[in-house]
């Protein structure tokens, strides 16, 4: 099939690579978000998908909005058979959905209908899911509600951050998307409607969602830290300034600390929660580089009555 691939961030690149490498399909163009400012100089930078497509000599389309008539006209000229999608980052209008003969097929990083939305991996970690996965489905006008072509499953490991899990899903999901394109092309794969029960939503995580509640159990604190890593990044307040929490360890045998209360030893720093303590393994003070929790504690000289939080 003639494919137009839609995607933007680094996590979409493995799927693009898998389709470029396919001997059954041709990626004739890529749709991605417009160049965005990045770095200290706020210089405009092309998306990872755009960079990879340009390396491969593939036409790159960067519509400000996918409803723009110039973009729709060019898509009609290209006349793709199917448009595979991975984390494109914009809603597709019906005018675009109707152009390819086999529609638009999304690779979504959850076992649908669980975790429909922008942040499925983060919410799976936050919820303590033991198993998640990826699904390919036919895009329709509803939110991630279209019929499903195929799924893969992936174990959520006890120490996984969202970044760890998403990296594995992106690699495994690339194969799933390529296989889905094969099945659509030869007619052996038909999408199955999603069940009406088991629907959960995974909206984008905002900075305020990543604020640690020290009255919550230690297991919840650990999930927030892992689920919000690398973005938006779990955080708390210390002396009125934000302290980013990059990694914590559960310390089940220490229950003598009140929520947010700090205790420092020569080699570690602990914080109380609503259950048992956690060790602050890696932190990042405001305006500074990441550092070991014990090094941070020694540098700030924590007093006896000091604690984390409001």
């Amino acid at each position: 099939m003639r494919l137009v691939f839609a995607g933007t961030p680094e996590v979409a690149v493995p799927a693009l690579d898998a389709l470029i490498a396919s001997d059954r399909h041709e990626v004739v163009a890529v749709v991605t978000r417009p160049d965005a400012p990045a770095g200290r100089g706020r210089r405009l930078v092309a998306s990872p998908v755009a960079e990879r497509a340009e390396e491969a000599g593939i036409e790159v389309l960067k519509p400000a909005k996918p409803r723009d008539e110039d973009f729709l006209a060019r898509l009609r000229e290209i006349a793709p058979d199917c448009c595979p999608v991975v984390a494109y980052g914009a809603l597709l209008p019906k005018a675009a959905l109707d152009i390819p003969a086999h529609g638009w097929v999304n690779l979504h990083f959850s076992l649908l209908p669980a975790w429909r939305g922008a942040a499925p991996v983060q919410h799976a970690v936050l919820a303590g899911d033991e198993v998640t996965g990826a699904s390919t489905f036919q895009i329709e006008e509803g939110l991630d509600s279209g019929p499903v072509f195929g799924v893969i499953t992936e174990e959520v490991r006890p120490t996984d951050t969202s970044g760890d899990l998403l990296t594995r899903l992106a690699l495994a999901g690339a194969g799933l998307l390529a296989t889905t394109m094969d099945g659509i092309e030869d007619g052996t794969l038909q999408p199955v409607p999603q069940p009406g029960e088991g629907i959960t939503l995974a909206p984008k995580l905002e900075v305020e969602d990543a604020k640690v509640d020290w009255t919550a159990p230690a297991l919840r604190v650990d999930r927030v830290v892992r689920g919000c890593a690398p973005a938006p990044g779990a955080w708390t307040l210390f002396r009125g300034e934000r302290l980013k929490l990059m990694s914590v360890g559960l310390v089940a045998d220490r229950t003598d600390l009140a929520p947010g209360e700090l205790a420092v030893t020569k080699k570690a720093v602990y914080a109380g929660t609503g259950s048992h303590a956690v060790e602050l393994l890696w932190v990042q003070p405001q305006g500074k580089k990441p550092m070991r929790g014990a090094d941070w504690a020694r540098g700030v000289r924590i007093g006896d009555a000091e604690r984390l939080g409001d």
Side-chain angles (χ1 to χ4, degrees):
M1 293 191 296
R2 287 168 52 81
L3 305 178
V4 170
F5 179 88
T8 297
E10 188 68 40
V11 71
V13 172
L16 175 58
D17 283 339
L19 295 173
I20 291 173
S22 171
D23 57 3
R24 295 180 59 172
H25 314 292
E26 179 187 6
V27 180
V28 293
V30 156
V31 183
T32 190
R33 299 294 290 151
D35 297 357
R40 289 185 177 180
R42 308 305 290 165
R43 181 174 58 90
L44 287 178
V45 175
S47 74
V49 163
E51 291 183 348
R52 179 67 188 93
E54 287 166 359
E55 289 173 3
I58 297 171
E59 179 181 357
V60 179
L61 307 175
K62 303 179 182 180
K65 295 180 180 179
R67 70 172 67 93
D68 291 351
E69 190 51 48
D70 288 348
F71 164 68
L72 294 174
R74 179 59 187 141
L75 195 60
R76 292 186 192 100
E77 288 176 355
I78 295 171
D81 297 306
C82 190
C83 294
V85 184
V86 185
Y88 169 47
L91 292 176
L92 296 161
K94 188 175 187 303
L97 295 178
D98 290 343
I99 292 174
H102 295 285
W104 298 63
V105 176
N106 191 39
L107 172 64
H108 184 76
F109 298 116
S110 81
L111 298 175
L112 291 169
W115 305 130
R116 293 177 178 175
V121 176
Q122 291 92 329
H123 282 274
V125 175
L126 287 170
D129 291 356
E130 295 182 355
V131 176
T132 187
S135 309
T136 49
F137 72 94
Q138 191 90 53
I139 294 180
E140 55 183 30
E141 291 189 88
L143 176 64
D144 299 336
S145 58
V148 173
F149 287 101
V151 300
I152 55 167
T153 59
E154 179 70 32
E155 178 188 1
V156 184
R157 300 168 187 169
T159 59
D160 270 340
T161 65
S162 291
D164 297 332
L165 184 55
L166 187 55
T167 296
R168 297 202 306 275
L169 287 171
L171 293 172
L176 173 64
L177 186 60
T179 300
T180 298
M181 292 296 106
D182 294 347
I184 291 172
E185 187 266 337
D186 63 23
T188 60
L189 196 57
Q190 296 296 323
V192 177
Q194 295 183 34
E197 60 278 347
I199 297 170
T200 50
L201 300 180
K204 179 183 176 181
L205 293 180
E206 304 296 342
V207 172
E208 199 60 29
D209 297 322
K211 184 179 181 181
V212 171
D213 176 7
W214 294 105
T215 66
L219 197 59
R220 175 62 183 175
V221 172
D222 173 59
R223 288 176 183 171
V224 170
V225 172
R226 292 187 295 109
C228 294
W235 61 278
T236 188
L237 291 176
F238 179 72
R239 295 177 185 170
E241 292 190 342
R242 284 191 184 183
L243 177 70
K244 189 173 181 180
L245 304 172
M246 307 184 72
S247 176
V248 300
L250 301 174
V251 188
D253 59 353
R254 181 148 196 179
T255 58
D256 59 318
L257 298 176
E261 183 181 355
L262 292 165
V264 182
T265 67
K266 288 184 178 180
K267 294 185 177 181
V269 56
Y270 304 97
T273 73
S275 57
H276 53 79
V278 295
E279 181 182 353
L280 307 185
L281 299 175
W282 283 89
V283 302
Q284 185 175 8
Q286 196 165 314
K288 296 185 179 179
K289 293 181 178 180
M291 63 182 69
R292 294 188 181 276
D295 296 337
W296 165 77
R298 279 193 296 271
V300 297
R301 297 183 180 181
I302 295 170
D304 290 340
E306 290 194 286
R307 64 180 60 222
L308 300 173
D310 295 329

